[in-house]
Structure formats: structure tokens, C-alpha cells
């Protein structure tokens, strides 16, 4: 018997050895002793991309989609920041107007207080 007659697959591994390896890996997977990706340790066929195809187009389109998503998210964040700046400006104007109005009220209360104090002093001097 010729050793090459026993080899039926690629890699020079006899068929019964291939089955033994596959069965061993399946048994390990059933026992959860082996990670899920371990069945690909001994691939029987290598997946080699064709030389004529351009595999870079997928990477470029994925990059462009990612870039567009990042730009959209950035635009949304900038719009939100501008909205917050405008809202903060409006709130500050409201607070300034209220403070000015309360300042006038405080000035009016001071005038009334001084009038009352003068009147009380006059009444006190008239009683003496």
C-alpha cells in the first residue's frame, strides 16, 4: 500500500485522522471545555480571496459610513450646544430684568423707610 493512496484530502492528513480530530473537537465542544471558535483550528479548506476582486472597497465604504455617522452625531451635538447657549442667554436676560425690578423695589422700600423714620423722629421731637 502506498501512503499517498491513503491521503484523500488536502494537507497530507489521512481521512481517519481527520475524522478523529473532528470528533475530538466535537466532544470537547459538547463538554464546554473548548471555546466556540475552536472548531476552526484545523480548517480543511482555506478561504483565499480571489486576486481579481478588490476587497478594499468594503473597507472604504465601511469607513465612509462610519465617517458620515460621526459627522451626523457631531452636528447633532453642536446643534444641541448652540440651543443650550441660546436658552442660557434668555434665562440670564430674565434674571437681569428681575434683579433690576427688585433693585427698584428695594430703593422704593428704602425711601419709604426713610420717610417713616423722619416722621417718627418728628413725632418724637413734638412729644418732647
Amino acid at each position: 500500500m502506498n501512503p499517498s493512496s491513503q491521503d484523500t484530502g488536502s494537507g497530507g492528513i489521512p481521512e481517519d485522522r481527520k475524522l478523529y480530530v473532528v470528533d475530538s473537537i466535537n466532544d470537547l465542544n459538547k463538554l464546554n471545555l473548548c471555546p466556540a471558535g475552536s472548531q476552526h483550528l484545523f480548517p480543511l479548506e482555506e478561504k483565499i480571496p480571489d486576486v481579481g476582486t478588490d476587497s478594499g472597497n468594503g473597507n472604504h465604504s465601511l469607513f465612509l459610513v462610519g465617517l458620515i455617522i460621526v459627522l451626523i452625531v457631531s452636528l447633532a451635538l453642536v446643534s444641541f450646544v448652540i440651543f443650550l447657549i441660546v436658552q442660557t442667554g434668555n434665562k440670564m436676560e430674565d434674571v437681569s430684568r428681575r434683579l433690576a425690578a427688585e433693585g427698584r423695589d428695594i430703593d422704593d422700600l428704602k425711601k419709604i423707610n426713610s420717610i417713616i423714620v423722619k416722621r417718627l423722629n418728628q413725632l418724637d421731637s413734638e412729644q418732647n
Side-chain angles (χ1 to χ4, degrees), residues 34 63 71 103:
C34 205
F63 175 74
L71 289 175

Side-chain angles (χ1 to χ4, degrees), residues 7-19:
D7 292 341
T8 58
S10 64
I13 300 174
E15 184 68 30
D16 56 344
R17 295 245 184 207
K18 289 182 190 177
L19 292 175

Side-chain angles (χ1 to χ4, degrees), residues 53 66 78 105 118:
T53 61
V78 167
D105 290 343
K118 286 180 184 176

Side-chain angles (χ1 to χ4, degrees), residues 49-110:
D50 292 337
V51 177
T53 61
D54 187 14
S55 62
N57 281 343
N59 291 337
H60 291 297
S61 64
L62 183 63
F63 175 74
L64 288 176
V65 168
L67 183 65
I68 289 171
I69 289 173
V70 167
L71 289 175
I72 290 172
V73 169
S74 299
L75 180 64
L77 288 174
V78 167
S79 300
F80 182 68
V81 167
I82 290 171
F83 172 75
L84 287 178
I85 290 171
V86 169
Q87 289 295 326
T88 304
N90 291 340
K91 294 289 182 184
M92 290 299 291
E93 289 175 7
D94 290 342
V95 169
S96 297
R97 275 188 253 128
R98 286 181 186 170
L99 284 176
E102 288 177 7
R104 287 190 299 266
D105 290 343
I106 290 173
D107 289 338
D108 291 343
L109 289 174
K110 285 180 181 178

Side-chain angles (χ1 to χ4, degrees), residues 116-128:
I116 291 173
V117 169
K118 286 180 184 176
R119 181 67 179 153
L120 287 175
N121 287 337
Q122 285 176 355
L123 289 177
D124 189 35
S125 64
E126 288 176 4
Q127 288 179 356
N128 287 339

